[in-house]
Amino acid sequence: MKVVVDDDVCVASGSCVLACPSVFDQDDAGMVVLLVEQPPAETHADVRYAASVCPVAAIDVTEE
Amino acid sequence: VTRRPEGSDERAVVVVGGSAAGLSVARTLRAGDSDIEVVIVNGEDEMPWDRPPLSKRVLRDGDQSHRLIDEAKLAALRVTFRSGVMATALRLDEKLIELGDGSMLAYGDLVIATGVRPRSLTLIESDARRGGLHVLRTQHDALLLRGALTAGARLVVVGAGFLGLEVAATARALGCEVTVIEAAPAPLASRLGAFTSQRLLDQHRERGVVVMSSTEIVGLRRDTSEKLTAVELADGSQRPADVLLVAVGCEPNTDWLDGSGVPVGNGVVCDEYCQATPSVWAAGDVAAWLNSDLGAHSRVEHRANASEQGHAVGVNLLARRRGEQGTPYRPIPFFWTDQYDTKVQVAGYPELADHEQLEEFDGGCFILRYLKGPDLVAALAWNAPKEFVSARRELARTFEFQRA
């Protein structure tokens, strides 16, 4: 799995941080910070959920 | 004459509506079942775009890049995406959907995600000339409005809700003169309380927006070439207007379900699993589901709910096919609004509160906690996104405790 975030459209909802804090964090302005580009298998369900609840679809997940 | 369904699978999940909620359903179904057949019926001609930017970036910059999905992602999702065709009727007993092109589509489960459309005003409806009159729901609407909002144009916004206030802010950035007309005594006070309402109002007034509360438009003035020139208000006064935006809320797109047997009230009436009948579900703006945290049906028109409820429907639908019950949909609602350089984020149910607690930070930022007795029921962050995430965690803990 490969994760890409678009910090240009991020609206700092923090939804991804709540869904999967081991992969997503926020900077001081609340903008998304991707901690791991290729997250481990045990986080995949949470990463997919984070992508699905991002209110601006700023998280792109490619399954490999 | 309708044709018999061709090549449609009686086990298929048909999602009517290809916007945020519908796509979330489809993604969840695919993630949970690699074999399930999914068809999306999308009334729009284009690939779906996201709506929150319409009153902001799209309106300000004409930025048309905010697609919800692209062709490659759609192919990877392996769904049949039928664009530019509307569902026109439902035959519940036969499990068939009638489409606008005269064909029919069979389904095993139907997910209704048809969203909402802007509410109109009798005054607007009765004006046959239409010039200068706008609503904002689609990208097309946003680009039309953008074309009208040239520097110096005089914009009147009817309705000081989130959409109306966001457009007012964007229109100021575009150099327009802006008046906002609101029927209630204070903008958004019934939703967010008097304190937040005043802060929002102050911000608009500081930037030169004229906000007129407790009033309404009773007439439109046009010149001899029928160009809009002013609006007439209930107190007999007038405001100059070249452009009028009606932003007085939305109503659910359920006309196609009339007489079908699917329960429709203020939206598609569902149980706590977002299920309307044994084979019909609903998600997003159109869904009025039994919200067990409120003990009443809720219909939520916020962007985050579209994704979250779409996910819940996908999960519950798959559970039901496995013979399991699924999980009641109990979100902690979340929404935000961006106006000028202020980001306001809200989570929970502010309308349940009986008092508020303010925590201020440097630079005019704050967190407002909404409490009912001792219990936190909502939180609002004013330019405080990191504190907002802590508040969302706090809310989640409170709600889990109350549910236990």
Side-chain angles (χ1 to χ4, degrees):
Chain A
M1 173 183 278
K2 189 168 185 304
V3 183
V4 177
V5 296
D6 184 349
D7 47 18
D8 188 43
V9 301
C10 176
V11 292
S13 77
S15 296
C16 56
V17 184
L18 294 172
C20 190
S22 66
V23 175
F24 303 98
D25 198 359
Q26 288 173 290
D27 66 16
D28 287 339
M31 295 301 178
V32 62
V33 174
L34 183 64
L35 300 174
V36 198
E37 282 180 19
Q38 294 181 319
E42 65 270 19
T43 65
H44 287 187
D46 288 344
V47 171
R48 282 187 211 108
Y49 185 65
S52 76
V53 296
C54 173
V56 286
I59 300 168
D60 190 62
V61 176
T62 308
E63 309 275 352
E64 281 162 0
Chain B
V1 180
T2 51
R3 299 194 298 271
R4 295 302 305 163
E6 291 167 11
S8 52
D9 180 342
E10 287 169 7
R11 290 275 295 160
V13 178
V14 176
V15 181
V16 180
S19 197
L23 287 171
S24 178
V25 173
R27 289 187 175 112
T28 307
L29 293 173
R30 179 57 67 226
D33 182 343
S34 57
D35 296 324
I36 196 166
E37 188 186 339
V38 181
V39 180
I40 296 178
V41 177
N42 186 44
E44 302 285 341
D45 244 344
E46 305 178 296
M47 296 295 280
W49 12 252
D50 207 6
R51 295 188 202 279
L54 296 181
S55 52
K56 301 177 280 271
R57 282 193 188 199
V58 179
L59 194 57
R60 190 184 65 220
D61 307 326
D63 178 354
Q64 296 178 45
S65 65
H66 299 276
R67 296 283 177 190
L68 283 169
I69 196 164
D70 61 27
E71 300 281 358
K73 287 281 165 192
L74 200 55
L77 200 53
R78 292 181 287 118
V79 301
T80 306
F81 195 81
R82 299 192 54 173
S83 246
V85 61
M86 305 280 287
T88 52
L90 178 64
R91 302 184 185 183
L92 194 60
D93 293 340
E94 299 166 82
K95 296 179 115 178
L96 289 175
I97 301 162
E98 296 181 16
L99 300 178
D101 63 3
S103 66
M104 285 195 290
L105 199 54
Y107 62 85
D109 283 283
L110 164 65
V111 182
I112 299 166
T114 41
V116 294
R117 61 179 179 278
R119 190 172 292 140
S120 193
L121 296 172
T122 313
L123 176 74
I124 302 299
E125 289 295 302
S126 61
D127 185 293
R129 292 157 293 192
R130 314 300 274 173
L133 308 183
H134 293 259
V135 293
L136 179 48
R137 178 68 188 167
T138 66
Q139 179 160 284
H140 179 69
D141 294 338
L143 295 174
L144 276 180
L145 181 59
R146 175 176 160 72
L149 295 182
T150 50
R154 298 163 305 173
L155 168 69
V156 170
V157 178
V158 187
F162 296 109
L163 181 67
L165 293 179
E166 286 184 356
V167 170
T170 304
R172 285 301 292 151
L174 292 169
C176 301
E177 290 177 32
V178 182
T179 305
V180 179
I181 309 287
E182 169 58 44
L188 291 167
S190 62
R191 298 279 302 276
L192 301 178
F195 178 83
T196 306
S197 172
Q198 189 61 48
R199 293 295 287 259
L200 289 167
L201 194 58
D202 290 347
Q203 182 165 252
H204 284 279
R205 288 190 169 150
E206 280 162 17
R207 280 152 172 103
V209 174
V210 176
V211 181
M212 306 176 77
S213 299
S214 300
T215 190
E216 57 184 356
I217 290 186
V218 296
L220 303 176
R221 288 282 173 106
R222 294 184 181 276
D223 66 13
T224 50
S225 59
E226 302 207 329
K227 186 186 168 304
L228 185 68
T229 57
V231 297
E232 301 167 351
L233 303 179
D235 64 0
S237 67
Q238 291 187 17
R239 289 297 300 172
D242 305 303
V243 185
L244 178 71
L245 174 73
V246 179
V248 293
C250 290
E251 48 198 37
N253 288 321
T254 54
D255 296 356
W256 67 288
L257 300 168
D258 286 349
S260 68
V262 171
V264 171
N266 174 27
V268 176
V269 180
C270 303
D271 65 11
E272 60 267 54
Y273 301 92
C274 306
Q275 195 172 23
T277 80
S279 58
V280 178
W281 309 73
D285 294 1
V286 77
W289 89 101
L290 181 58
N291 184 339
S292 33
D293 284 323
L294 298 183
H297 284 86
S298 287
R299 194 171 66 75
V300 177
E301 288 179 5
H302 297 304
R303 173 64 180 83
N305 182 67
S307 292
E308 200 176 345
Q309 194 167 20
H311 184 267
V313 165
V315 167
N316 282 343
L317 197 160
L318 291 173
R320 207 57 64 85
R321 286 192 173 190
R322 291 190 303 265
E324 298 161 15
Q325 182 75 344
T327 310
Y329 180 54
R330 303 175 85 167
I332 296 173
F334 151 66
F335 61 91
W336 80 98
T337 177
D338 296 321
Q339 299 174 26
Y340 309 106
D341 47 9
T342 299
K343 176 180 292 298
V344 180
Q345 299 169 293
V346 185
Y349 298 98
E351 65 273 24
L352 296 181
D354 51 34
H355 66 292
E356 299 166 8
Q357 270 176 8
L358 179 66
E359 184 185 353
E360 292 183 276
F361 310 109
D362 292 343
C365 309
F366 64 85
I367 291 272
L368 190 63
R369 289 184 173 77
Y370 296 80
L371 298 117
K372 183 184 183 185
D375 299 324
L376 186 72
V377 291
L380 178 147
W382 185 283
N383 277 337
K386 290 201 87 166
E387 289 79 5
F388 181 64
V389 172
S390 306
R392 285 182 75 181
R393 283 203 183 93
E394 198 180 325
L395 261 178
R397 281 195 298 271
T398 311
F399 274 82
E400 273 163 31
F401 179 73
Q402 286 168 352
R403 289 166 187 167

